[in-house]
Amino acid sequence: MHQQSTLFIDSSAAPTSPSYFAPSPKQHKQRRSVTSFASRQSRHSSSSSSENEDDDDDSIVNRPSLHQILINQGRGQYTLDNFGAFLQSQFCYENLAFWLASRQYKLCAQSLFQSVQSSAPMFTLHSDTAHHLNQSQSRAFSDLQIKMRAILETFVLPSSPHELNLSDAVRCRLLRSVAEGDYHPQVLEQARESIMDLMKCSSYPMFLETVAAKRASNAGSSQSTSSSSTQQDSHHSDGSSGSWRNKAKHHFKLVSKMLKRNP
């Protein structure tokens, strides 16, 4: 990371206002009424009764969007695990791993930012404003910086283990911002959007076609054969998903050890 210090700041990559963050989960919980539980129970009951019907309908209208898959709201075979296994088979699962890592980073940054606002309102997730933090808050900010370095060293830096297919402009702007001490999650947004567009144009439609073809093949078989095939596909999918997740966990453990050796 020492090479980044030679980069110049890019004013266009400055963080946005604190309103960039969505309301915290705690704020949402405070607004929930006593009747919300009954409402959720009713929705769950109705959704469960129609889930099988929705799974049988594989029309284009009922297929989940890419964003729904990424937040694991897809039904049937359109799950996040299956999408990750498919990306691994296409040798491009780093796109999904980066999207999930950047999303998790945003949640961590949001939590830190909101927790220090009352005592350190001048803190902006920039290292130049870190002197406003107390000792425990400074440790939390250091942990956030380590998370950002792990993302850069895993996905963004040239020749990184899972280097993303980013344009030079997007890559350099991100590295410049962090080199100048900016740890606001907004600095990842352009790279995140680029990867989202890449998945939307290539991996996502291929995944939909693969799932649709498998479902059509199963539907054309006899009931017993279809049932057996579905179970086999389910077991195969679980194994692929596990392989993908285990590989990602193993790699991030190596990155974590590297960061501890080189703080």
Side-chain angles (χ1 to χ4, degrees):
M1 297 295 292
H2 62 278
Q3 296 178 346
Q4 297 179 20
S5 61
T6 61
L7 298 173
F8 297 99
I9 189 169
D10 188 346
S11 59
S12 63
T16 59
S17 65
S19 62
Y20 169 83
F21 294 123
S24 68
K26 291 183 179 180
Q27 291 173 326
H28 283 301
K29 290 181 179 179
Q30 292 172 352
R31 291 195 293 265
R32 290 177 180 173
S33 65
V34 178
T35 59
S36 62
F37 176 76
S39 177
R40 290 198 303 274
Q41 288 280 69
S42 176
R43 288 197 302 269
H44 175 72
S45 177
S46 61
S47 62
S48 297
S49 62
S50 61
E51 183 173 354
N52 291 335
E53 296 178 3
D54 292 339
D55 288 344
D56 290 339
D57 187 357
D58 195 38
S59 63
I60 296 178
V61 176
N62 289 303
R63 292 177 185 176
S65 66
L66 175 58
H67 185 262
Q68 287 176 314
I69 293 176
L70 293 177
I71 61 177
N72 207 21
Q73 288 186 352
R75 292 181 175 180
Q77 293 294 315
Y78 300 105
T79 63
L80 178 61
D81 277 346
N82 286 349
F83 186 53
F86 173 78
L87 292 180
Q88 183 183 10
S89 70
Q90 300 297 311
F91 303 101
C92 57
Y93 85 97
E94 68 275 2
N95 294 332
L96 175 60
F98 169 75
W99 192 93
L100 295 174
S102 62
R103 182 169 178 260
Q104 183 63 32
Y105 179 86
K106 178 180 177 180
L107 295 176
C108 293
Q110 175 184 355
S111 177
L112 172 62
F113 182 82
Q114 293 178 343
S115 67
V116 305
Q117 279 306 287
S118 59
S119 59
M122 299 301 293
F123 177 64
T124 62
L125 294 173
H126 196 288
S127 58
D128 288 346
T129 62
H131 63 277
H132 295 287
L133 303 175
N134 59 35
Q135 187 174 3
S136 62
Q137 293 169 343
S138 295
R139 286 197 297 267
F141 185 44
S142 296
D143 291 340
L144 188 70
Q145 291 173 308
I146 290 176
K147 288 181 174 63
M148 175 65 84
R149 297 212 316 267
I151 291 176
L152 298 185
E153 295 182 6
T154 305
F155 302 106
V156 181
L157 287 173
S159 301
S160 54
H162 297 294
E163 184 178 354
L164 299 171
N165 184 16
L166 298 172
S167 68
D168 290 340
V170 172
R171 191 187 309 274
C172 290
R173 181 172 299 174
L174 171 54
L175 295 178
R176 285 171 186 152
S177 298
V178 178
E180 292 296 331
D182 189 355
Y183 290 90
H184 196 287
Q186 180 66 37
V187 302
L188 293 168
E189 201 65 25
Q190 195 170 12
R192 197 164 179 257
E193 291 176 357
S194 296
I195 294 304
M196 185 73 165
D197 290 340
L198 187 61
M199 289 192 293
K200 188 179 297 183
C201 294
S202 57
S203 305
Y204 169 65
M206 291 173 60
F207 173 66
L208 294 183
E209 291 177 2
T210 300
V211 173
K214 184 183 296 184
R215 290 166 65 96
S217 176
N218 290 342
S221 304
S222 63
Q223 184 64 30
S224 59
T225 304
S226 177
S227 175
S228 174
S229 177
T230 301
Q231 293 177 357
Q232 292 175 2
D233 290 341
S234 177
H235 292 314
H236 177 73
S237 175
D238 291 341
S240 299
S241 300
S243 175
W244 161 65
R245 289 185 177 276
N246 290 335
K247 183 178 179 181
K249 288 180 180 179
H250 174 70
H251 174 73
F252 280 111
K253 285 180 180 178
L254 295 180
V255 172
S256 178
K257 291 180 181 179
M258 177 181 65
L259 290 173
K260 289 180 181 179
R261 290 198 302 268
N262 301 284

